[in-house]
Amino acid sequence: MTEKIFCGNCNMLLYFGEEIKRRLYMRAIPSEETVLGYYKNTCPKCGNKLSLETVKIETKGRKPCHTVPK
């Protein structure tokens, strides 16, 4: 599953990658709060204060694989 985090004010993409909470190994990013901390909790585009309440988090599953009919 993939995860995207957007600024709730200007819709700037702040994070795109594997869903953070599902990463079982190599936890380089332990939480969504850490991602926001990389930006000092301020959107670099519009200056909006970033918190879990002010961002949009979107998660999507993988598309099913196509099977070849027999």
Side-chain angles (χ1 to χ4, degrees):
M1 293 176 74
T2 60
E3 180 172 353
K4 293 180 184 178
I5 301 176
F6 298 93
C7 172
N9 188 47
C10 70
N11 215 32
M12 178 180 172
L13 180 63
L14 303 167
Y15 173 82
F16 173 78
E18 188 174 345
E19 187 178 5
I20 294 171
K21 68 181 177 181
R22 292 182 52 97
R23 296 177 77 172
L24 300 176
Y25 62 94
M26 294 179 57
R27 290 185 174 252
I29 303 173
S31 67
E32 284 83 358
E33 290 92 349
T34 302
V35 171
L36 303 180
Y38 292 150
Y39 297 99
K40 297 184 173 116
N41 295 325
T42 304
C43 177
K45 185 175 180 183
C46 70
N48 187 43
K49 181 166 174 50
L50 300 174
S51 69
L52 292 181
E53 291 80 32
T54 63
V55 296
K56 293 184 277 183
I57 299 175
E58 190 179 283
T59 56
K60 290 187 180 181
R62 296 194 169 130
K63 294 181 181 181
C65 295
H66 296 284
T67 57
V68 178
K70 294 182 179 181

